[in-house]
Amino acid sequence: MRIVFDVGGSVLVPDEPDVDFIGKIAYELIKISEDHEVAVVVGGGKVAREYIRAAKSFSPNETFKDYIGIHITRANAMLLIAALGEKAYPFVIQDFRKAWEVIQLKKIPIMGGTHPGHTTDAVSALLAEYLQADLLVVVTNVDGVYDSDPRKNPNARKLSRITVDQLVGIAMEGESRAGGSSVVDALAAKFIQRGRIKTIIVGKEDARHLFDVIKGKHSGTVVEP
Amino acid sequence: MRIVFDVGGSVLVPDEPDVDFIGKIAYELIKISEDHEVAVVVGGGKVAREYIRAAKSFSPNETFKDYIGIHITRANAMLLIAALGEKAYPFVIQDFRKAWEVIQLKKIPIMGGTHPGHTTDAVSALLAEYLQADLLVVVTNVDGVYDSDPRKNPNARKLSRITVDQLVGIAMEGESRAGGSSVVDALAAKFIQRGRIKTIIVGKEDARHLFDVIKGKHSGTVVEP
Amino acid sequence: MRIVFDVGGSVLVPDEPDVDFIGKIAYELIKISEDHEVAVVVGGGKVAREYIRAAKSFSPNETFKDYIGIHITRANAMLLIAALGEKAYPFVIQDFRKAWEVIQLKKIPIMGGTHPGHTTDAVSALLAEYLQADLLVVVTNVDGVYDSDPRKNPNARKLSRITVDQLVGIAMEGESRAGGSSVVDALAAKFIQRGRIKTIIVGKEDARHLFDVIKGKHSGTVVEP
Amino acid sequence: MRIVFDVGGSVLVPDEPDVDFIGKIAYELIKISEDHEVAVVVGGGKVAREYIRAAKSFSPNETFKDYIGIHITRANAMLLIAALGEKAYPFVIQDFRKAWEVIQLKKIPIMGGTHPGHTTDAVSALLAEYLQADLLVVVTNVDGVYDSDPRKNPNARKLSRITVDQLVGIAMEGESRAGGSSVVDALAAKFIQRGRIKTIIVGKEDARHLFDVIKGKHSGTVVEP
Amino acid sequence: MRIVFDVGGSVLVPDEPDVDFIGKIAYELIKISEDHEVAVVVGGGKVAREYIRAAKSFSPNETFKDYIGIHITRANAMLLIAALGEKAYPFVIQDFRKAWEVIQLKKIPIMGGTHPGHTTDAVSALLAEYLQADLLVVVTNVDGVYDSDPRKNPNARKLSRITVDQLVGIAMEGESRAGGSSVVDALAAKFIQRGRIKTIIVGKEDARHLFDVIKGKHSGTVVEP
Amino acid sequence: MRIVFDVGGSVLVPDEPDVDFIGKIAYELIKISEDHEVAVVVGGGKVAREYIRAAKSFSPNETFKDYIGIHITRANAMLLIAALGEKAYPFVIQDFRKAWEVIQLKKIPIMGGTHPGHTTDAVSALLAEYLQADLLVVVTNVDGVYDSDPRKNPNARKLSRITVDQLVGIAMEGESRAGGSSVVDALAAKFIQRGRIKTIIVGKEDARHLFDVIKGKHSGTVVEP
């Protein structure tokens, strides 16, 4: 299988780098890479938010803030590269075609953000589409997709299985309403829909056992293409 | 003023390169650049569609097709560079920050597509946002924004003035319904909304008089931020 | 064997992309690449001519026109990459040394034009020389080398075997006289001569059976080093 | 005058980005740049230390840690770019010659780390040497050079004026003894010595008035070439 | 005027770098650049020949040898950059469009070799064509164009004025016969012809007074377009 | 084993390229690469010194001279690439991470200088550290480390075994005194110390038998980590 992992920055760097978690996830990725082709996209997290907030105090320029965020995602990617050792390609990848090339070298390509106007969720969906991946695994702060926002509604119910079309619906609603419960943004959801990419969305606990996750053992949400 | 122009590929290369129109638009841009800072984004057009259709026959990979389209937009950008002569920066720009640098050189930066998952409309909106442009001028095949699709509804009425929020609404409706009348895609519209960018949408006839368009003399649609 | 293929743009994109031919040639190249090392250079064709003609209307600058032509050859290269799928390296190669590296990855490097002042025929000859290729196969609109221009002289006779020195002679004559019958330009011919590269020149029909061509089954012209 | 500023990361990002200080320093730099040519090198600070510590838990590879630190210095550089607005060159500069080019554009080049094995102090000294700068201003956590470590010896006395040779002596002693009081590392000091660069070393308070510092009004240490 | 200078490597580095001559030529170029736009292409010389000869002993690969030669031409270019000081762009230029950009910065772009299969004479002719230069000045070991090889024929007569077509004729004859008297190679001559570039060919003595040369005071050969 | 070789420029290019020695060393490296991972850093030598001396006559700028030296080291690296044939990666490597990538391709990466302020000795030590190499072999003009300068003291005694700490001591003394006997500079020595890299220092004669050297058969000096 060819699998793309989308690891949220706030999972990797909740406050400062979560060394234990990064080490664990690296261990799992190496194990998975023995039988599968693996690529990873890493997000921004708390440090990114701090730097973006600082930039915002100087200028309202959203595109510029995206560039700052991209810088931090790349630093985060370097942490995962450190943990993966010689299994990782040592440069942070910035082009999907280069990610493909790294896979040919039997190494794991690690990407961060690539371009203003895109979240790293969107990057991971485009990468999965470009690589014609069999599976996209999204690791996020929430442990799956809920029928309403679990932070607000104590009765929110986690959905174990949804369609890509439902994912798009939830993501678009999430963008238009304060009480949305989206775990990926609408643009990422649309790329997942466009590419008909099978997707698994899991939380940090499941992510400690990614080897199981890709075999279907997890408590997250499966998005059917 | 700092002005970004978004020139649709099908306007520049309807069938083959429209030398007369490219020459006319270059003439206007040079005149405008005497008093204003100018940047241009160029789209794909018929050749792009042909190449993408060919690629599609080999693979359903949308991201790959985006890469092919980007190649053609850059060739189109080279045509405009040829017409602008020494006023244009001779490389096709691929990063918004480089576009800014070219403006400091008192030259006109020309961009094509930049990244999969984005139209050149979205590129022009991001560029306008990054440059904190005073105005975005969209030159397209339709001569403005209509209240319904003018190709289907003979009673469709052109709107001379809409808000960015209306633009987003029309663009999103355009993506969800066959009979939409959008001239820019939803993502581009959202960037225009996010950046609160004043936008003028005009057709090819108006584009022959861009010097007038930026002064408000045109029969297109003004999008108020 | 290490083989370089030089595929004329007007063969790949006679009017618009010839999907059937591109698919066929990709099929043959993949089959050949199972036993041989393969690299391909792609030319410009009709779209390149249209774009160059448009540029010419703005400026007599030949070097600039070369840059435009290079852009189109790269778009053409992308079409062949699409058809070759995972067997092709997904970036258009711009340096001979990178082509060598791609071959080490067991992939097919695809080049277009590289530098003003060179045709893609010259690029393919230099590439063959750099790679110390065993064979250069030129796929062109004419089905071989003739003793006079077959478009003008109905009695022109195809030559099944010539020397590199004869090739240079024919190419130089072709450049100096209107009625020349050259299939490669003089500079390319000189590089073939300098590198003592065994070359086969075939037409589009033969090119549909490249697997046979490299084994000597074709109706084109063999250039002996 | 041509002036290089070396701003320590722990000054810019003590815990999280010090927006107030970054804004103040940007204000001063813009004022200075009206009469002088200005270039800035930015260091790592707390975030860099956290990321390097995390990397260290995976591998003892010092060179790799340098690469991670470089990533963070570049993110820090982006913060200063944000604060400088259109006066800054928007890319983080990675080559001294490019810094020179930016100065020709009448913009301020901002650098971070460039290469493993070098601190950003060494980068700033090399930049000053390359640019043949008239002055290097080092902004650091300590407010000057002391005759012994002020954090350990309450009677440590700040030196208002030393020679470059003394600076090298202090820096080398600082590297060999735990109780050293160096503010720049030995390699940086040697580059300052080699280039005979007039240097002013000031603390954060003085740095809020850089416009005065370059005129000699400060309570830091002057290093005479 | 826009002027391209083509300075032969054996003029700059006859045995080792001719510091006196490099300094003199730099002085003249700076003086010229006060009133004119200037670009320079530098050749290989003795060191290039030594390195190429060494490479030849390992492999007959001509293209590879070109790459080695290009490396040395770039080192030679750096010498001229050193001598020109802040008037020169500090990177060796590798693309004609970048040379144009440097001219916009009011600096002198210095190029070496660019691509296998081209001499630096050809590079200078293409650069002159690309820049639409008013004049190309070739500085070479021979002090002009002769009607036969002055090293062999004591009665050889220097031609003070020839046409570009004659230049091509002489250059092509020079390549086909041992006793040719060409000062530029045939490819370079053809680019000069194609671009209709006014050219002055002078020896090292004249080159010490380039300021006079461009005003027509020299004992070399003028090539009329 | 993973082995980094640091080959001094004056060994490769004593006066002009030493073709015999380059060929011999290439032969040995190919033999070694059958069982080991190999990377090489090449220095400057006589040509570098000539070019740097020339640059010095124009400007005292040390950093600029470093850039010139780097150009020559890269030309030297090309000579070794020529001799290694298809076993070498054909581009001169400029980033340690790329060197690692080349090793994954089962090819030998060749580096020259990388950045001002570093000798190629320092580059080789950093490369060894980055690659976590098992061994660094320094090939230099002197045939090992002596207890005093063998060129001055006829009784100088070669040390067959020293510690990295002793190496640093000798190197630092060598920089501070005219009569030092250092074979690597202090910065390189410190990187060797920091990385705890086992190092063998041999002269040109031993270098003709590198295959033996790495097995411990040589008359040079072993530096124990």
Side-chain angles (χ1 to χ4, degrees):
Chain A
M1 271 207 302
R2 189 172 276 182
I3 312 170
V4 172
F5 293 89
D6 171 24
V7 185
S10 53
V11 180
L12 281 183
V13 187
D15 189 52
E16 51 180 271
D18 184 341
V19 170
D20 177 64
F21 178 72
I22 295 170
K24 179 61 177 148
I25 215 171
Y27 173 83
E28 296 282 307
L29 290 170
I30 289 171
K31 205 163 54 171
I32 292 168
S33 72
E34 280 162 23
D35 293 319
H36 304 286
E37 291 177 336
V38 169
V40 186
V41 179
V42 169
K46 177 163 170 281
V47 175
R49 279 193 305 278
E50 280 175 14
Y51 275 64
I52 288 170
R53 195 187 322 123
K56 203 180 249 163
S57 70
F58 302 119
S59 157
N61 189 327
E62 291 283 337
T63 311
F64 188 88
K65 279 179 265 173
D66 285 355
Y67 281 122
I68 289 202
I70 289 170
H71 269 274
I72 299 294
T73 61
R74 288 183 184 157
N76 292 347
M78 286 298 277
L79 290 176
L80 190 54
I81 288 171
L84 285 166
E86 296 236 336
K87 192 67 203 176
Y89 187 74
F91 291 92
V92 182
I93 302 293
Q94 306 186 22
D95 186 295
F96 302 130
R97 292 168 290 187
K98 184 70 188 176
W100 175 88
E101 182 180 357
V102 168
I103 288 173
Q104 310 308 311
L105 280 169
K106 312 287 180 213
K107 298 293 174 185
I108 300 178
I110 317 287
M111 299 186 77
T114 56
H115 191 276
H118 274 162
T119 62
T120 50
D121 290 337
V123 170
S124 69
L126 285 168
L127 176 61
E129 186 184 60
Y130 179 74
L131 294 175
Q132 312 266 288
D134 302 289
L135 183 61
L136 169 64
V137 177
V138 178
V139 177
T140 178
N141 259 340
V142 191
D143 61 349
V145 179
Y146 282 76
D147 62 358
S148 63
D149 188 343
R151 288 163 303 186
K152 301 201 168 171
N153 179 356
N155 297 321
R157 207 168 47 86
K158 187 157 52 172
L159 306 167
S160 63
R161 195 161 292 267
I162 60 174
T163 65
V164 286
D165 300 331
Q166 284 176 295
L167 183 73
V168 170
I170 292 167
M172 292 188 73
E173 191 184 300
E175 292 199 351
S176 56
R177 283 197 306 119
S181 58
S182 180
V183 290
V184 297
D185 62 288
L187 187 59
K190 279 179 184 167
F191 290 141
I192 289 171
Q193 181 187 44
R194 172 175 104 168
R196 299 275 137 204
I197 304 158
K198 183 178 175 179
T199 303
I200 299 174
I201 297 169
V202 294
K204 197 163 175 174
E205 266 324 295
D206 273 331
R208 301 180 75 87
H209 308 282
L210 283 176
F211 190 73
D212 291 339
V213 168
I214 64 165
K215 289 189 274 185
K217 294 185 210 153
H218 59 84
S219 62
T221 300
V222 173
V223 184
E224 297 287 0
Chain B
M1 273 207 301
R2 189 172 277 180
I3 313 170
V4 171
F5 293 88
D6 171 23
V7 185
S10 51
V11 180
L12 281 183
V13 188
D15 189 51
E16 51 181 88
D18 183 342
V19 169
D20 177 65
F21 178 73
I22 296 170
K24 179 61 177 147
I25 215 171
Y27 173 83
E28 296 282 307
L29 289 170
I30 289 169
K31 204 163 53 171
I32 292 169
S33 72
E34 279 160 25
D35 293 318
H36 303 286
E37 293 177 336
V38 169
V40 186
V41 179
V42 169
K46 176 162 171 282
V47 176
R49 279 194 305 277
E50 279 176 12
Y51 275 63
I52 287 169
R53 196 187 321 124
K56 203 180 248 163
S57 71
F58 302 119
S59 156
N61 189 329
E62 290 285 336
T63 311
F64 187 89
K65 279 179 263 172
D66 284 356
Y67 280 122
I68 289 201
I70 289 169
H71 269 274
I72 299 295
T73 60
R74 290 183 182 153
N76 291 348
M78 286 297 277
L79 290 176
L80 190 53
I81 289 171
L84 286 166
E86 296 236 338
K87 192 67 202 175
Y89 187 74
F91 291 92
V92 182
I93 302 292
Q94 307 186 22
D95 187 295
F96 302 131
R97 293 168 289 186
K98 184 71 188 175
W100 175 87
E101 182 180 357
V102 168
I103 288 173
Q104 309 308 311
L105 280 168
K106 312 287 180 212
K107 298 294 173 185
I108 300 178
I110 317 288
M111 300 186 76
T114 56
H115 192 277
H118 275 162
T119 61
T120 49
D121 289 338
V123 170
S124 69
L126 285 168
L127 177 61
E129 186 185 60
Y130 179 74
L131 293 175
Q132 312 266 288
D134 302 288
L135 182 61
L136 169 65
V137 177
V138 178
V139 177
T140 178
N141 258 340
V142 190
D143 62 349
V145 179
Y146 282 76
D147 61 356
S148 62
D149 187 343
R151 289 164 301 188
K152 301 200 170 175
N153 180 355
N155 298 320
R157 207 169 47 87
K158 187 157 50 171
L159 306 166
S160 64
R161 196 162 291 266
I162 60 174
T163 65
V164 286
D165 299 331
Q166 284 175 296
L167 183 72
V168 170
I170 291 167
M172 291 188 73
E173 192 185 299
E175 291 199 352
S176 56
R177 282 199 305 120
S181 59
S182 179
V183 291
V184 298
D185 63 289
L187 187 59
K190 279 178 184 170
F191 291 140
I192 290 171
Q193 181 188 44
R194 172 175 105 166
R196 299 274 138 204
I197 304 158
K198 184 179 172 178
T199 302
I200 299 174
I201 297 169
V202 294
K204 196 165 178 175
E205 265 324 297
D206 273 330
R208 300 181 75 88
H209 308 284
L210 282 177
F211 190 73
D212 290 338
V213 168
I214 64 165
K215 288 189 274 184
K217 294 185 212 149
H218 59 85
S219 62
T221 300
V222 173
V223 185
E224 297 286 359
Chain C
M1 272 208 300
R2 189 173 276 182
I3 312 168
V4 171
F5 293 88
D6 171 23
V7 185
S10 52
V11 181
L12 281 183
V13 187
D15 188 53
E16 51 180 89
D18 184 342
V19 169
D20 177 64
F21 178 73
I22 296 170
K24 179 62 177 148
I25 215 170
Y27 173 84
E28 295 282 306
L29 289 170
I30 289 170
K31 204 163 54 172
I32 292 168
S33 72
E34 279 160 24
D35 292 318
H36 303 286
E37 292 177 336
V38 169
V40 186
V41 179
V42 169
K46 177 163 172 280
V47 176
R49 279 194 304 278
E50 280 175 12
Y51 275 63
I52 287 169
R53 196 188 319 127
K56 203 180 249 163
S57 70
F58 301 119
S59 158
N61 189 328
E62 290 284 337
T63 311
F64 187 89
K65 279 179 264 173
D66 285 354
Y67 281 122
I68 289 202
I70 288 170
H71 270 274
I72 300 294
T73 61
R74 289 184 183 152
N76 291 348
M78 286 298 277
L79 290 176
L80 190 54
I81 289 171
L84 286 165
E86 296 235 337
K87 192 67 202 175
Y89 186 74
F91 291 92
V92 183
I93 302 292
Q94 306 186 21
D95 187 295
F96 302 131
R97 293 168 290 186
K98 184 71 189 175
W100 176 88
E101 181 180 357
V102 168
I103 288 173
Q104 309 309 311
L105 280 169
K106 312 287 180 213
K107 298 294 173 184
I108 301 178
I110 317 287
M111 300 186 77
T114 56
H115 192 276
H118 273 163
T119 62
T120 51
D121 289 338
V123 170
S124 69
L126 285 169
L127 176 61
E129 187 185 59
Y130 179 74
L131 293 175
Q132 313 266 287
D134 302 288
L135 183 60
L136 170 64
V137 178
V138 178
V139 178
T140 178
N141 258 340
V142 191
D143 62 350
V145 179
Y146 282 77
D147 61 357
S148 62
D149 188 344
R151 289 163 302 187
K152 300 199 171 174
N153 179 357
N155 297 322
R157 206 169 47 87
K158 188 157 52 172
L159 305 167
S160 63
R161 197 161 292 265
I162 61 175
T163 65
V164 286
D165 299 332
Q166 285 176 293
L167 183 72
V168 169
I170 292 167
M172 291 188 73
E173 192 185 299
E175 291 199 353
S176 56
R177 283 198 306 121
S181 58
S182 179
V183 291
V184 298
D185 61 288
L187 187 58
K190 278 179 185 170
F191 290 141
I192 289 171
Q193 182 188 43
R194 172 175 105 166
R196 300 274 138 204
I197 304 158
K198 183 177 175 181
T199 302
I200 299 174
I201 298 169
V202 295
K204 196 165 178 175
E205 265 324 296
D206 273 331
R208 302 180 74 88
H209 308 282
L210 283 177
F211 189 74
D212 290 338
V213 168
I214 64 165
K215 288 189 275 184
K217 294 186 211 149
H218 59 85
S219 61
T221 299
V222 172
V223 185
E224 296 287 358
Chain D
M1 273 206 299
R2 190 172 276 182
I3 312 169
V4 171
F5 293 89
D6 172 23
V7 185
S10 52
V11 181
L12 280 183
V13 186
D15 189 52
E16 52 181 87
D18 183 342
V19 169
D20 177 63
F21 178 73
I22 296 169
K24 179 62 177 148
I25 215 172
Y27 173 83
E28 296 282 307
L29 290 170
I30 289 170
K31 204 161 53 171
I32 292 168
S33 72
E34 278 160 25
D35 293 319
H36 304 286
E37 292 176 337
V38 169
V40 186
V41 179
V42 169
K46 178 162 171 281
V47 175
R49 280 194 304 279
E50 280 175 13
Y51 275 63
I52 287 170
R53 195 187 322 125
K56 204 181 249 162
S57 70
F58 301 120
S59 156
N61 190 326
E62 290 284 336
T63 311
F64 188 88
K65 279 179 265 174
D66 285 356
Y67 280 123
I68 288 201
I70 289 169
H71 270 275
I72 299 295
T73 61
R74 290 184 182 154
N76 291 348
M78 287 296 279
L79 289 176
L80 190 53
I81 289 171
L84 286 165
E86 296 236 335
K87 192 67 204 175
Y89 186 73
F91 291 92
V92 182
I93 302 292
Q94 307 187 21
D95 187 294
F96 302 131
R97 294 169 288 188
K98 183 71 188 176
W100 176 88
E101 182 180 358
V102 168
I103 287 172
Q104 310 309 312
L105 280 169
K106 312 290 180 208
K107 297 294 174 183
I108 301 178
I110 317 287
M111 300 187 76
T114 56
H115 192 275
H118 274 163
T119 61
T120 50
D121 289 338
V123 170
S124 69
L126 285 168
L127 176 61
E129 186 185 61
Y130 178 75
L131 294 175
Q132 312 267 289
D134 302 288
L135 183 61
L136 169 65
V137 178
V138 179
V139 177
T140 178
N141 258 340
V142 192
D143 62 349
V145 179
Y146 282 77
D147 61 358
S148 62
D149 187 342
R151 287 163 305 186
K152 301 200 169 171
N153 179 356
N155 298 320
R157 205 168 50 85
K158 188 157 51 173
L159 306 166
S160 63
R161 196 162 291 267
I162 61 175
T163 66
V164 285
D165 300 331
Q166 285 176 295
L167 183 71
V168 170
I170 291 166
M172 292 188 74
E173 193 184 299
E175 291 200 352
S176 57
R177 284 196 308 118
S181 58
S182 178
V183 292
V184 299
D185 62 289
L187 187 59
K190 279 178 184 168
F191 291 141
I192 289 171
Q193 181 187 45
R194 172 174 104 167
R196 301 273 137 203
I197 304 158
K198 184 178 172 177
T199 303
I200 298 173
I201 298 170
V202 295
K204 197 164 177 175
E205 265 324 295
D206 272 332
R208 302 180 73 88
H209 308 283
L210 283 177
F211 189 73
D212 291 338
V213 168
I214 64 164
K215 288 189 274 183
K217 294 186 212 152
H218 59 85
S219 62
T221 300
V222 172
V223 184
E224 296 287 358
Chain E
M1 271 206 302
R2 189 173 276 183
I3 312 170
V4 171
F5 294 89
D6 172 24
V7 185
S10 51
V11 180
L12 282 183
V13 187
D15 189 53
E16 49 182 271
D18 184 342
V19 169
D20 178 64
F21 178 73
I22 295 170
K24 179 62 177 146
I25 214 171
Y27 173 83
E28 296 283 306
L29 290 171
I30 289 170
K31 205 163 53 172
I32 293 168
S33 71
E34 279 161 24
D35 292 319
H36 303 286
E37 292 176 336
V38 169
V40 186
V41 179
V42 169
K46 177 163 171 282
V47 176
R49 279 194 304 278
E50 280 175 13
Y51 275 64
I52 287 169
R53 195 188 322 124
K56 203 181 249 162
S57 70
F58 302 120
S59 157
N61 189 327
E62 290 285 338
T63 311
F64 188 88
K65 278 179 266 172
D66 285 355
Y67 280 122
I68 289 201
I70 289 169
H71 270 274
I72 299 295
T73 62
R74 289 183 183 155
N76 292 347
M78 287 298 277
L79 290 175
L80 190 53
I81 288 171
L84 285 166
E86 296 236 336
K87 192 66 203 177
Y89 187 74
F91 292 91
V92 182
I93 302 292
Q94 306 186 22
D95 187 294
F96 302 130
R97 293 167 289 186
K98 183 70 189 177
W100 175 88
E101 181 180 358
V102 168
I103 288 172
Q104 310 309 310
L105 280 169
K106 312 287 180 212
K107 297 293 174 185
I108 301 179
I110 317 288
M111 298 187 76
T114 56
H115 192 276
H118 274 161
T119 61
T120 50
D121 289 338
V123 170
S124 69
L126 284 169
L127 176 61
E129 186 184 60
Y130 179 74
L131 293 176
Q132 312 267 288
D134 302 289
L135 183 60
L136 170 64
V137 178
V138 179
V139 178
T140 177
N141 259 340
V142 191
D143 62 349
V145 179
Y146 282 76
D147 62 357
S148 62
D149 188 343
R151 287 164 304 187
K152 301 200 169 172
N153 179 357
N155 298 320
R157 206 169 48 87
K158 188 157 51 172
L159 306 168
S160 63
R161 195 162 293 265
I162 59 174
T163 65
V164 286
D165 300 331
Q166 284 175 296
L167 182 72
V168 170
I170 292 167
M172 291 188 72
E173 191 184 300
E175 292 200 351
S176 56
R177 283 197 305 120
S181 60
S182 179
V183 290
V184 297
D185 62 288
L187 187 59
K190 279 180 185 169
F191 291 140
I192 290 170
Q193 182 187 44
R194 172 175 103 166
R196 300 275 136 204
I197 304 158
K198 181 177 176 181
T199 303
I200 300 174
I201 297 169
V202 294
K204 196 163 175 174
E205 266 323 297
D206 273 332
R208 300 180 75 87
H209 309 281
L210 283 177
F211 190 74
D212 290 338
V213 168
I214 63 165
K215 288 189 274 185
K217 294 185 210 151
H218 59 86
S219 62
T221 300
V222 173
V223 186
E224 297 286 1
Chain F
M1 274 205 300
R2 189 173 277 182
I3 312 170
V4 171
F5 293 88
D6 172 23
V7 185
S10 52
V11 181
L12 281 183
V13 187
D15 189 51
E16 51 181 86
D18 183 342
V19 169
D20 178 64
F21 178 72
I22 296 170
K24 179 62 177 149
I25 215 172
Y27 173 83
E28 296 282 306
L29 290 170
I30 289 170
K31 204 162 55 171
I32 293 168
S33 72
E34 279 160 24
D35 292 319
H36 303 286
E37 291 176 338
V38 169
V40 186
V41 179
V42 169
K46 177 164 170 283
V47 176
R49 279 193 305 277
E50 280 176 13
Y51 275 63
I52 287 169
R53 195 186 323 123
K56 203 181 248 161
S57 70
F58 301 120
S59 156
N61 189 328
E62 290 283 338
T63 311
F64 187 88
K65 279 179 263 173
D66 285 356
Y67 281 122
I68 288 201
I70 288 169
H71 269 275
I72 300 295
T73 61
R74 289 184 184 154
N76 291 348
M78 287 298 278
L79 290 176
L80 190 53
I81 289 171
L84 286 165
E86 297 236 336
K87 192 67 203 175
Y89 186 73
F91 291 92
V92 183
I93 301 292
Q94 307 187 23
D95 187 294
F96 302 132
R97 293 168 289 187
K98 184 70 189 176
W100 175 87
E101 181 180 357
V102 169
I103 288 174
Q104 310 308 311
L105 280 169
K106 312 290 180 210
K107 298 294 174 185
I108 300 178
I110 317 287
M111 298 186 77
T114 56
H115 192 275
H118 274 162
T119 61
T120 50
D121 290 337
V123 170
S124 69
L126 284 169
L127 177 60
E129 187 185 61
Y130 179 75
L131 293 176
Q132 312 267 286
D134 301 289
L135 183 61
L136 170 64
V137 177
V138 178
V139 177
T140 177
N141 258 339
V142 191
D143 62 348
V145 179
Y146 282 77
D147 61 358
S148 61
D149 187 342
R151 288 164 303 186
K152 302 200 169 172
N153 179 357
N155 297 320
R157 205 169 50 85
K158 187 157 55 173
L159 305 167
S160 63
R161 197 162 290 266
I162 59 174
T163 65
V164 286
D165 299 332
Q166 284 176 296
L167 182 73
V168 170
I170 292 166
M172 291 187 74
E173 193 184 298
E175 292 200 351
S176 57
R177 282 196 309 120
S181 58
S182 178
V183 291
V184 298
D185 62 289
L187 187 59
K190 279 179 184 168
F191 291 142
I192 290 172
Q193 181 187 45
R194 172 175 104 167
R196 300 274 137 204
I197 303 159
K198 183 178 173 176
T199 302
I200 298 174
I201 297 169
V202 295
K204 197 164 176 175
E205 265 324 295
D206 273 333
R208 301 180 75 88
H209 309 283
L210 282 176
F211 190 72
D212 291 338
V213 168
I214 64 165
K215 287 189 274 183
K217 294 185 212 153
H218 60 85
S219 62
T221 300
V222 173
V223 185
E224 297 287 359

